[in-house]
Amino acid sequence: MDAANYLYLSALLFTIGAVGVVVRRNAIVVFMCVELMLNAANLAFVTFSRINGDLNGQVVAFFTMVVAACEVVVGLAIIVTIYRSRRSASVDDASLLKR
Amino acid sequence: MLDLAISVGQTQTPEAVLFWVLAPLTVAAALGMLLVKKAVHSAILMASVMVNLAVFYIAQDALFLGIVQIVVYTGAVMMLFLFILMLVGVDSSDSLTETIPGLRPIAIVAAVGFGGLMVSLIGRATLGRNAIGLDAANSLGNVEGIAQLLFSKYVWPFEVVSALLITAALGAMVLAHHQSIQMRPTQRQLSTQRFRGKSLANAAGLPAPGVFARHNAVDVPALLPDGTPAANSINATLQARGDMLNSGTFELGKVDTSKGEEK
């Protein structure tokens, strides 16, 4: 099978994740869409690692996972903090600087 | 797109079967994540996408990453998401009305453009050779190969990433730390408040809830000597939620005593 199929899938998942970040309003769902984009990039890394026949791509994907875990921890803490003060997890409600 | 159509025709290997079964499922789950209303359903669909991706990793000779994907992502990260969802409120479903006018069509057009660009780019790019595959690189074993790279070429990034992890953990602790606005009153202060306050009405303590011998639950206010309910015998939280019963319903003569036990 052509390994490029995985790249097509990766591009598709990345696009879906990007649309989710723009369209959805619940901060947690937006966050999950960011995770989807990171995962899609990881799939591309793993596929390129296979195409090129060395493991560098897999190591980079491994680093991406660690960074994504950090991002989730801090991001969710921010969401909880905002929810505590504003009683809402919607990204549209946190627009205090605009007014 | 032509290449995609051709490669559909070429699928014979078991891996191709796996791919063409799981890839539509993955895309459908990702799309569902975008479209469902409740955040919990989104989380479940996200978990299924992650498990599918783990299968793809393993199919592509990335055994270690496949396992880590399941353990770290589906195990830890998604549980964290669900945990926060429970904290923030499970039934806080997203209203799908758009607040910024015209955002959704623009987003869809941009997505189609971007996706089309990516797909056509991948379709046009050629390496000039077939995929090498990881058989040679994995000859010592996948974990050993990754470990060799991680602890030689990538040892500095590895250390930096560990610093990042510690920073993130500290940051989350600082962010989630709840600073109480006022001091908790000490026993001495409470006692002073009780006896040196404006009136000595509550000096002997607040009345206990419940109507004597009729209904002793905490949600029924006690009756004062003149028959009116004593509001301060009920927990303020129960009052605010409206979870209190009217003690008048337990007055003698109103309760049907023939049934034996009240209520």
Side-chain angles (χ1 to χ4, degrees):
Chain A
M1 192 184 86
D2 193 3
N5 285 348
Y6 289 108
L7 296 180
Y8 292 119
L9 177 65
S10 159
L12 214 55
L13 289 180
F14 189 90
T15 314
I16 293 172
V19 175
V21 171
V22 176
V23 170
R24 293 304 296 260
R25 285 164 60 214
N26 190 331
I28 298 174
V29 179
V30 169
F31 225 60
M32 283 194 275
C33 289
V34 173
E35 287 300 305
L36 183 64
M37 290 166 78
L38 285 167
N39 270 294
N42 268 357
L43 182 63
F45 274 127
V46 171
T47 310
F48 279 125
S49 153
R50 180 199 194 184
I51 290 174
N52 289 321
D54 64 18
L55 290 172
N56 285 308
Q58 290 189 18
V59 176
V60 173
F62 174 71
F63 281 133
T64 314
M65 276 184 191
V66 180
V67 173
C70 293
E71 176 231 340
V72 164
V73 167
V74 177
L76 287 179
I78 291 173
I79 289 175
V80 169
T81 314
I82 290 178
Y83 180 78
R84 212 185 260 152
S85 59
R86 305 188 69 88
R87 289 283 138 199
S88 156
S90 169
V91 284
D92 284 346
D93 286 351
S95 58
L96 206 65
L97 283 177
K98 219 167 82 180
R99 286 169 206 148
Chain B
M1 288 313 269
L2 191 64
D3 291 38
L4 192 65
I6 291 170
S7 60
V8 173
Q10 284 172 343
T11 52
Q12 286 114 12
T13 56
E15 193 195 342
V17 175
L18 178 100
F19 181 83
W20 290 113
V21 170
L22 280 190
L25 275 180
T26 313
V27 173
L31 277 178
M33 199 179 103
L34 209 65
L35 298 174
V36 293
K37 213 170 172 185
K38 285 202 166 188
V40 182
H41 298 169
S42 280
I44 299 294
L45 287 168
M46 183 72 207
S48 75
V49 170
M50 283 168 170
V51 171
N52 283 352
L53 283 177
V55 173
F56 287 141
Y57 292 168
I58 294 171
Q60 298 207 76
D61 292 331
L63 185 65
F64 178 68
L65 273 186
I67 305 291
V68 168
Q69 170 88 5
I70 289 184
V71 171
V72 172
Y73 263 118
T74 340
V77 170
M78 286 320 294
M79 287 313 111
L80 207 59
F81 268 113
L82 284 176
F83 191 73
I84 298 298
L85 271 177
M86 300 296 156
L87 209 65
V88 167
V90 197
D91 40 36
S92 63
S93 56
D94 218 354
S95 69
L96 289 173
T97 52
E98 50 180 5
T99 40
I100 305 167
L103 174 70
R104 212 162 286 168
I106 293 172
I108 289 167
V109 167
V112 168
F114 178 75
L117 192 70
M118 292 285 277
V119 167
S120 72
L121 261 178
I122 297 165
R124 280 162 183 274
T126 46
L127 271 173
R129 56 171 166 77
N130 285 330
I132 296 174
L134 286 168
D135 291 338
N138 275 345
S139 57
L140 285 172
N142 182 247
V143 181
E144 282 82 351
I146 286 181
Q148 231 160 39
L149 271 177
L150 204 59
F151 294 118
S152 59
K153 189 177 169 188
Y154 291 100
V155 71
W156 176 240
F158 187 68
E159 297 296 333
V160 172
V161 151
S162 74
L164 178 71
L165 266 176
I166 293 170
T167 317
L170 270 178
M173 272 198 278
V174 170
L175 279 173
H177 180 69
H178 185 63
Q179 204 154 23
S180 53
I181 299 165
Q182 21 181 233
M183 289 275 285
R184 219 183 143 84
T186 59
Q187 209 168 10
R188 186 189 174 88
Q189 282 168 330
L190 282 175
S191 182
T192 313
Q193 206 180 347
R194 204 153 117 191
F195 292 107
R196 298 222 173 120
K198 276 179 189 146
S199 78
L200 284 172
N202 294 328
L206 294 172
V211 183
F212 182 66
R214 286 280 174 174
H215 192 89
N216 282 333
V218 287
D219 57 347
V220 179
L223 288 179
L224 293 174
D226 57 349
T228 53
N232 56 358
S233 66
I234 297 282
N235 190 320
T237 314
L238 284 178
Q239 276 188 47
R241 283 206 313 229
D243 275 349
M244 52 191 257
L245 298 175
N246 183 7
S247 48
T249 54
F250 299 104
E251 257 177 56
L252 198 63
K254 281 193 181 172
V255 182
D256 188 6
T257 44
S258 62
K259 281 179 187 168
E261 193 61 38
E262 39 93 359
K263 213 178 177 185

